[in-house]
């Protein structure tokens, strides 16, 4: 840890930490404004949606941020490190924005770099712990693909995933921290369920009558597209996944496109809102010394 602090790049970031933080916030706000300006249909789609639908989506996406905070918290604890809850919330918020605009899974890369600098968490250790989350996320969503057509495969898939996680816990010698791995798995299940409810609301809001089972299969397919998200918010990629698995969830192409537009529109506005709120508090914490408050 002492050698890490002596590196020129680390000393530079430490010296200009406040200025860099403010610069990143300003640059990201500019990126969000630019994105909305070239996609004006985002605001139009949100404005013509029922207020009750918007309130429901607001509650669910807010819960999703909370879920991301818990996943980050438990992965850090799994590495025997601790990060204050406020910092974890800021980190989850900023990485959610970056994950939307960046290719593939940019958010975790940002978290890994931040945690290495902030609390000395090795990128290798963080990567190992994130593998448990990604494996759980993939296993749950792949299993859901067969929920309506072959539910036995869903049950077997989830069971196999649990067995492999138990094996991995022992192989990586995490037995003494198994409670954190269990917590990550449970929170991941909650994350997938929340996503399915979001899609169910959006499908109904755009005039599609979908069942709970269909929304779970739909969510499973959409979530898997995040692993190859080469565009902002996996635009195009997610639709391709959903069209490829249409025989499993039974949602028409027109409904997929309509629900997708509503989802991206609301999510971008949501990201802008939470980013501005988090930035306001972050700048206050960064610029104004605690003693002067």
């Amino acid at each position: 840890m002492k050698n890490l602090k002596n590196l020129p790049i680390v000393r530079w970031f430490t010296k200009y930490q406040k200025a860099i933080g403010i610069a990143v916030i300003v640059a990201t706000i500019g990126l969000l404004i630019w994105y909305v300006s070239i996609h004006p249909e985002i605001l139009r789609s949100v404005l013509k949606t029922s207020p009750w639908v918007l309130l429901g989506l607001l509650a669910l996406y807010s819960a999703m941020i909370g879920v991301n905070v818990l996943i980050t918290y438990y992965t850090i604890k799994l590495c025997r490190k601790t990060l204050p809850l406020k910092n974890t919330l800021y980190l989850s918020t900023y990485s959610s924005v970056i994950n939307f605009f960046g290719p593939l899974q940019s958010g975790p890369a940002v978290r890994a770099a931040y945690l290495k600098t902030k609390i000395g968490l090795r990128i290798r250790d963080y990567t190992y712990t994130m593998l448990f989350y990604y494996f759980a996320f993939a296993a749950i969503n792949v299993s859901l693909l067969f929920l309506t057509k072959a539910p036995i495969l869903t049950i077997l898939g989830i069971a196999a995933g649990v067995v492999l996680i138990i094996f991995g816990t022992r192989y990586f010698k995490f037995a003494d921290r198994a409670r954190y791995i269990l917590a990550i798995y449970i929170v991941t299940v909650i994350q997938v369920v929340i996503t399915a409810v979001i899609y169910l609301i959006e499908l109904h809001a755009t005039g599609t009558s979908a069942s709970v089972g269909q929304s779970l299969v739909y969510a499973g397919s959409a979530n898997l597209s995040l692993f190859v998200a080469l565009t902002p918010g996996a635009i195009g990629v997610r639709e391709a996944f959903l069209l490829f698995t249409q025989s499993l969830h039974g949602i028409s192409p027109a409904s997929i496109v309509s629900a997708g537009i509503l989802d991206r529109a609301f999510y971008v506005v949501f990201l802008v809102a939470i980013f501005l709120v988090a930035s306001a508090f972050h700048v206050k914490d960064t610029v104004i010394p605690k003693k002067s408050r």
Side-chain angles (χ1 to χ4, degrees), residues 114-260:
Y114 173 84
L115 292 171
K116 179 180 179 180
T117 303
K118 186 71 175 180
I119 59 176
L121 176 55
R122 293 189 300 178
I123 292 178
R124 183 187 65 182
D125 293 343
Y126 183 72
T127 301
Y128 283 156
T129 56
M130 283 301 294
L131 287 177
F132 281 102
Y133 164 69
Y134 280 126
F135 178 81
F137 186 79
I140 293 168
N141 285 291
V142 169
S143 300
L144 286 177
L145 293 179
F146 309 99
L147 181 62
T148 57
K149 301 295 183 181
I152 187 63
L153 292 180
T154 298
I155 296 173
L156 290 175
I158 293 176
V162 172
V163 170
L164 288 175
I165 287 175
I166 294 173
F167 173 79
T169 300
R170 295 184 177 182
Y171 180 81
F172 288 107
K173 299 179 181 179
F174 285 155
D176 60 325
R177 287 161 282 171
R179 63 186 183 279
Y180 297 129
I181 293 176
L182 176 62
I184 291 172
Y185 187 83
I186 292 173
V187 174
T188 303
V189 171
I190 295 173
Q191 182 184 45
V192 173
V193 171
I194 291 175
T195 303
V197 176
I198 288 173
Y199 290 147
L200 182 63
I201 290 175
E202 291 170 345
L203 286 167
H204 279 271
T206 53
T208 301
S209 180
S211 67
V212 173
Q214 283 180 298
S215 69
L216 286 168
V217 178
Y218 188 95
S221 178
N223 288 337
L224 290 173
S225 70
L226 296 177
F227 287 104
V228 288
L230 301 175
T231 59
I235 294 174
V237 178
R238 187 171 76 180
E239 284 71 22
F241 269 66
L242 289 169
L243 288 173
F244 181 74
T245 57
Q246 186 185 1
S247 62
L248 298 175
H249 56 67
I251 306 297
S252 70
S255 297
I256 291 172
V257 173
S258 298

Side-chain angles (χ1 to χ4, degrees), residues 32 35-36 39-65 100 198-199 201-202 205-206 238 258-275:
L32 288 168
Y35 186 84
V36 173
H39 295 87
E41 70 276 8
I42 286 175
L43 294 178
R44 289 198 298 267
S45 179
V46 172
L47 291 174
K48 70 179 184 181
T49 303
S50 166
W52 294 110
V53 171
L54 296 180
L55 284 174
L57 293 178
L58 175 62
L60 290 166
Y61 270 118
S62 298
M64 190 68 77
I65 292 296
F100 180 87
I198 288 173
Y199 290 147
I201 290 175
E202 291 170 345
T206 53
R238 187 171 76 180
S258 298
I261 291 174
L262 173 59
D263 180 71
R264 301 291 169 51
F266 180 85
Y267 191 55
V268 169
V269 174
F270 176 77
L271 286 179
V272 171
I274 64 168
F275 184 83

